Amino acid sequence: MTTRWLFADQLGPQFLDAPDQQVLLVESRAVFRRRRFHRAKAHLLLSALRHRALELGDQAVFLQVDTYDEALRQVGDGPLSVVQPTSYAADRFVRSRGFEVVPEGRGFATTREAFSGWVAGRKRLLMEDFYRWQRVRFGVLMDGDEPTGGQWNLDHDNREPPPKRRTLGLEEPWLPGEDDVDGQVREDLDRWVRDGLVSFVGDDAPRWAPATRWEALARLDHFVEHRLADFGPTEDAMLGADPWMAHSALSPAMNLGLLHPLEAVHAAEQAYREGRAPLNSVEGYVRQVIGWREYIWSVYWHFPEDYRDRNVLAADSDLPEWFRTLDADEQVTANCLSSVLRDLRERGWVHHIPRLMVLGNYALQRGWNPRQLTAWFHEVFVDGYDWVMLPNVTGMSQHADGGLMTTKPYASGGAYINRMSDYCGGCAYDPKVRVGPTACPYTAGYWAFLERNAERLQDNRRMRQPLLGLGRLGDLDEVVAQERERGDAPP
Ligand SMILES: Cc1cc2nc3c(=O)[nH]c(=O)nc-3n(C[C@H](O)[C@H](O)[C@H](O)COP(=O)(O)OP(=O)(O)OC[C@H]3O[C@@H](n4cnc5c(N)ncnc54)[C@H](O)[C@@H]3O)c2cc1C
Ligand code: SF4
């Protein structure tokens, strides 16, 4: 059996062919020099890698070096094998070195081959169709050939506005305690920053994301027991004082390979079968994991690598520095954006609606460059990796691919944020106003976005109504002039 080189997102037991396989682990500092990551992300990656090295003991060679090349020089010529890496760049690297590559990505339930089989002969790659196929082939929430409860999609019971309370009142996600490994990571990061080798954004808060398999399982058990039941109805809702809502906060662990998606899905289904969680919440969660996550992973490889250069809306503005650095909540008046930036600075994580409808929506409206935005998301989210950011940001959030993933751009005004959150109540702007000092930057920005892109979107059937609305707007010139003046200043 060859020595298995495990990358930092391949840390669970399923990445080994046998429990006693020899392992190579490499901690490369150059990775952190290339980009300005969130400090919590750098901490998590180093902590997870070092914890895995400790667990494996003599079974692993653990090298702390500057570059991968330096590590490879140290290990010499012995044969190495790797599990399919999760990015095009890493894939090219391992193939150029002639390593044996185990073809299936073991952090996922869908192989590239299986997805190609599903795609064959299809005109459209609808997530809903993919998700049903996953349910059937893995036998998840199925009673014979029928979906449990008779329906595939229980969205009509989910995605409700938030309750009229400050928080959902649920227990917080299970939190790991830091140990000596984390202490050493913190010291090393401080030293590298002091020596000018690296720089980070975001707070150096106590680590909240699981760094070991044991911690990942503890978070999963706690989620299923205490939070899953409330997942569905509030999955799209936002409350300023409750950043977690009923979300699992398991994406960092899953993306590190510490937890297999089918483990999470089976635990959720068991809770339903035992009467501990209702079907709508369990279906909603299962849809996210074996639907969305697997779909995103599969389309990353299905689309050509130049997908990252798509920019059909010709969005060419640079990301402003106040947005990049995450410490602009004091300068930003818009309550939704200010709160989300603060949460992101504190944890390197917010749930999917702030990502899509607050951060992504704002960037889309302002015409910020999708490639820069994708890189930014990758750097500041603890769960961000190339495979997951590229389709989610370039495709889903910015519509830069012209509609390969979504039928219309996810642009929306303040009315959506007002309906799905409690942000607007405490805001100096009014979501219903589009001109003047109280004009909501999302509402006015929405119309300015439509005006700028009207020609590019005119053939999209789903944009017909919004474009008709644009034509009827009596104060459009004022809105556009106002938003041009606002430009990229903190709103
Ligand atoms: C613009 C944008 C950027 C995103 N970037 C990332 C990212 O870098 N990393 C990441 O893991 N997710 C990303 N997502 C998806 C989603 O926001 C996060 O997976 C989720 O918020 C993680 O929190 P959670 O574990 O509490 O999720 P839950 O709400 O509990 O959902 C359960 C699980 O479903 C999976 N999931 C759901 N949707 C997606 C999706 N679209 N893509 C991949 N996995 C999904 C995750 O593994 C998640 O843990 C992004 C979404 C958007 C709109
Ligand atoms: S009024 Fe507009 S800017 Fe203020 S919180 Fe609501 S959506 Fe955000």
Side-chain angles (χ1 to χ4, degrees):
M1 212 171 358
T2 52
T3 296
R4 173 67 36 85
W5 179 3
L6 296 178
F7 293 111
D9 57 357
Q10 300 180 331
L11 300 180
Q14 73 273 26
F15 293 94
L16 297 183
D17 293 342
D20 60 350
Q21 185 171 19
Q22 286 300 304
V23 168
L24 171 65
L25 291 165
V26 180
E27 178 184 303
S28 150
R29 207 165 46 194
V31 172
F32 299 112
R33 257 206 320 269
R34 273 185 238 126
R35 321 173 70 146
R36 195 165 43 157
F37 287 106
H38 198 298
R39 167 99 186 205
K41 179 169 192 166
H43 185 126
L44 176 65
L45 288 175
L46 293 182
S47 178
L49 202 57
R50 293 180 187 187
H51 274 103
R52 187 67 173 128
L54 262 185
E55 270 168 18
L56 288 166
D58 291 345
Q59 197 181 327
V61 171
F62 178 42
L63 298 177
Q64 294 172 290
V65 288
D66 203 47
T67 63
Y68 282 165
D69 281 333
E70 193 181 327
L72 290 175
R73 274 196 299 278
Q74 285 189 35
V75 290
D77 285 339
L80 283 176
S81 65
V82 296
V83 171
Q84 171 63 52
T86 61
S87 73
Y88 274 111
D91 188 65
R92 255 196 314 276
F93 174 77
V94 300
R95 289 178 199 280
S96 71
R97 299 303 168 109
F99 301 144
E100 179 192 334
V101 181
V102 177
E104 76 271 21
R106 294 189 182 169
F108 302 87
T110 312
T111 61
R112 286 164 71 174
E113 197 187 359
F115 189 73
S116 301
W118 178 76
V119 166
R122 275 170 203 274
K123 284 211 180 73
R124 303 215 50 187
L125 307 183
L126 287 181
M127 201 304 278
E128 184 67 31
D129 296 343
F130 171 78
Y131 165 64
R132 292 180 189 187
W133 177 69
Q134 296 280 78
R135 289 264 298 270
V136 171
R137 74 192 186 108
F138 293 117
V140 174
L141 291 180
M142 295 297 297
D143 291 327
D145 293 339
E146 294 299 314
T148 300
Q151 284 170 302
W152 294 100
N153 185 329
L154 297 180
D155 272 358
H156 55 271
D157 292 332
N158 290 340
R159 302 167 179 251
E160 288 176 8
K164 301 231 171 303
R165 303 196 290 270
R166 283 189 76 245
T167 68
L168 288 185
L170 301 177
E171 281 191 28
E172 286 214 329
W174 178 89
L175 292 176
E178 288 199 359
D179 59 13
D180 292 350
V181 173
D182 292 293
Q184 187 61 54
V185 166
R186 184 157 280 121
E187 261 180 43
D188 290 348
L189 290 175
D190 284 344
R191 197 177 60 256
W192 298 350
V193 171
R194 258 196 328 269
D195 294 349
L197 299 173
V198 293
S199 69
F200 297 109
V201 294
D203 291 351
D204 179 20
R207 174 170 64 80
W208 61 268
T212 65
R213 177 149 170 82
W214 183 87
E215 290 177 355
L217 291 173
R219 167 80 51 89
L220 173 65
D221 285 352
H222 182 273
F223 166 68
V224 170
E225 230 29 64
H226 300 284
R227 303 164 51 74
L228 171 64
D230 291 272
F231 180 86
T234 57
E235 68 178 296
D236 282 0
M238 301 176 279
L239 287 170
D242 193 347
W244 304 112
M245 302 295 283
H247 292 276
S248 66
L250 279 166
S251 53
M254 240 182 249
N255 295 353
L256 285 169
L258 294 170
L259 191 68
H260 194 275
L262 286 176
E263 284 182 293
V265 158
H266 289 145
E269 176 167 13
Q270 194 179 347
Y272 164 69
R273 302 273 176 213
E274 291 171 1
R276 290 180 283 129
L279 186 57
N280 59 319
S281 283
V282 172
E283 191 280 314
Y285 180 71
V286 165
R287 165 181 296 273
Q288 296 299 314
V289 180
I290 52 166
W292 276 110
R293 184 174 189 271
E294 296 285 315
Y295 179 76
I296 294 286
W297 159 251
S298 302
V299 297
Y300 174 79
W301 294 108
H302 179 71
F303 294 150
E305 198 183 349
D306 66 5
Y307 183 83
R308 74 182 70 241
D309 298 322
R310 305 277 166 99
N311 189 1
V312 301
L313 298 180
D316 286 326
S317 299
D318 291 338
L319 259 61
E321 197 57 14
W322 60 264
F323 188 83
R324 283 184 184 280
T325 53
L326 300 180
D327 55 6
D329 49 318
E330 301 278 317
Q331 303 166 48
V332 176
T333 308
N335 195 28
C336 52
L337 185 56
S338 161
S339 307
V340 169
L341 284 173
R342 189 194 55 237
D343 288 346
L344 189 54
R345 187 185 68 222
E346 286 174 5
R347 296 180 196 85
W349 178 96
V350 291
H351 74 70
H352 67 143
I353 297 302
R355 295 185 203 206
L356 189 63
M357 304 312 284
V358 178
L359 299 171
N361 188 15
Y362 200 73
L364 177 67
Q365 292 183 356
R366 301 291 140 181
W368 294 347
N369 180 268
R371 193 169 170 142
Q372 283 186 29
L373 187 74
T374 304
W376 177 82
F377 264 96
H378 185 153
E379 286 152 18
V380 301
F381 276 88
V382 289
D383 56 13
Y385 296 85
D386 199 51
W387 68 267
V388 65
M389 277 309 169
L390 201 56
N392 270 314
V393 182
T394 305
M396 182 130 86
S397 150
Q398 298 302 297
H399 202 72
D401 61 5
L404 291 177
M405 289 196 59
T406 55
T407 50
K408 70 180 182 73
Y410 267 104
S412 84
Y416 176 88
I417 296 176
N418 191 27
R419 189 168 68 253
M420 297 307 291
S421 79
D422 64 352
Y423 288 132
C424 298
C427 186
Y429 300 119
D430 182 336
K432 290 195 269 323
V433 177
R434 55 178 178 262
V435 184
T438 58
C440 164
Y442 282 86
T443 302
Y446 171 73
W447 293 114
F449 164 82
L450 279 189
E451 194 271 343
R452 196 173 66 244
N453 289 293
E455 231 171 85
R456 296 188 187 94
L457 297 172
Q458 68 185 358
D459 294 333
N460 183 324
R461 266 192 316 125
R462 295 201 60 204
M463 293 309 289
R464 212 167 279 163
Q465 280 304 328
L467 290 175
L468 280 175
L470 181 76
R472 285 196 291 266
L473 226 59
D475 51 8
L476 181 61
D477 289 347
E478 275 175 87
V479 174
V480 170
Q482 168 190 281
E483 291 314 299
R484 198 166 293 141
E485 198 178 325
R486 193 194 310 269
D488 292 335

